[in-house]
Amino acid sequence: MTMFDLDEILKSRRDTRHFTDDEVPDSVIEKALQAGHWAPSVGLTDATKYYLIKSTEIKKAIKELFLDYDKKATNQTDNEQQKSQYQALKLEAIEEASLGLVICYDRSVLNNFTIGTVGSNEAIKFSAVCAAQNIWLSLTEQGYSMGWVSILNYYEFKKLLGLPENIEPLGYFCVGKPATNYENQPMLQQLNWKQKLEKPFVEEISKLHLNNEVTPVELGGKMVTDFDLSEALQYKINNKTKPAGSLGMLEVLAKQIGMVFQTLEPKIIQPNMVIFAADHGIANHGVSAYPQDVTRQMVINFLEGGAAINVFCKQHNIQLSIVDSGVNYDFSTNTNLISAKIAKGTQSFLHGAAMSATELDLCFAKGSKIVKAIAETGSNCIGFGEMGIGNTSTASVLMSVILGLPIEDCVGKGTGVDDEKLLFKNEILRKVIENYKGSDDLDSKLAYFGGFEIFQMAGGMIEAYNNNMLILVDGFICSIAFLIAFKKNPGIIQNAIFCHQSAEQAHMKLLNYLNAKSILNLNLRLGEGTGCAVAFPIIQSAVAFLNEMASFESAGVSKK
């Protein structure tokens, strides 16, 4: 046979849908199946199996299976013209073809590896596909052909044929003498459904992709690039040695982190926690259980390593930074404190604006600068915490005016006020909102009702998103900062992990608005970023299982 003859056979091979009444001689099918047997077989496992169907009764039952599934395929479109065109196609010849062939692969061979090889469920499937192609070419050379029917419920198909659990069919193949050559082109091309490209896609890859870039890898029988990374991550998660979905929230986190870092093997590098501290003029009106000076005292406690957040960051090896965003105190210049002071606390918004428009802009700029410096160290994960007596009142008012909710839906006990003081807090904040006569745009409301540390966090979160960092959001007040960042750049939600649901009653409403789910619900209401630090090991566990847990294939474990 000349190479020209082989080319002609390759070009004339068709997925045939129209057959004559001619029988397929035994010698023809034997020669074709021998050609299939000569196909590549991974590890010489001989996993490909063939079943012949000549029974009219079985063919009829298989056709009914096809028609049931075909009806579902038809209903996938609401376009009546497209539906009509699809129904007019002859998609099978199960009863018309004189012979039926079921090409299968046997998963049980994976329990008997050839020495020196590693078994792969996908590779033995590919061996069976190679066999199918050889059979097709042999039939074509002998003047016969084949049609591949894959529109089937495979579970029902196996049950109908009595196939063992370990035998997996590629589909049902109609074999016979072709009634037409479809004008020497594929039927869908002949009917102008789709034209086959004249030349194959070929591209040389000459650059090695590193630094978390996703290089094409084989998953589930296809080459995966960052274009379909979401599907690849889900495939990787689903094929770990566990029932699908059994790791719950960890699976959601693993996929999210993989998408943020654009890789199938994400790593968290140099995690940082940043606490922004500032005072609030509204605290002077008795809305908190603690005096304003506690802000200063707690900042010193942070610097001396005595607060809860210090303990948790040390426990989980998280770098901790403390920022003076606007505390009503002059700290010593030789302390390990990031100075980003806007002023010594905001003004009381009971009587006027908390800050100026210039101070608002400065907050965003300073918060951005702090996070940018952290990102430049190589960190790709940052948690946000806060400290500021009175800042739950500020956060509640911001939530009310941004989302248009009654103040009662946005106010909680904060640092722990009693019921009587909570009523007072509600009344004074309602009065604050009623007194507002400013513009309706977001920035005007932010400047009037805001807090320095809240806006520095918002600016920092936006910068973290711009640097493709994981953003760990603490409780209610940090979530208000995130709400502001989200209003300015909605894409930021992709990078955010909400670490806990605060005991503040408004926090759940806010999470629902953001369509977000928190990792923990421990009745925390301390702030300081403690929820982020406590949740961090769970985030690490999500990364660890994605990167280190065995797959069904690598462990040789059967899926079902």
Side-chain angles (χ1 to χ4, degrees), residues 225-270:
T225 64
D226 58 0
F227 180 76
D228 45 14
L229 179 62
S230 175
E231 183 181 343
L233 280 164
Q234 194 61 58
Y235 178 89
K236 185 177 181 182
I237 291 166
N238 289 346
N239 279 271
K240 297 296 183 181
T241 46
K242 60 173 181 58
S246 59
L247 282 178
M249 187 73 170
L250 293 181
E251 297 189 20
V252 176
L253 287 170
K255 184 174 181 180
Q256 179 187 5
I257 294 167
M259 289 301 294
V260 168
F261 296 146
Q262 286 288 285
T263 176
L264 294 172
E265 297 179 347
K267 292 178 178 63
I268 292 177
I269 302 168
Q270 298 179 35

Side-chain angles (χ1 to χ4, degrees), residues 15-31:
D15 187 13
T16 302
R17 305 301 185 185
H18 299 81
F19 295 92
T20 67
D21 295 333
D22 296 85
E23 293 292 321
V24 179
D26 290 344
S27 60
V28 170
I29 193 64
E30 286 170 8
K31 183 177 180 181

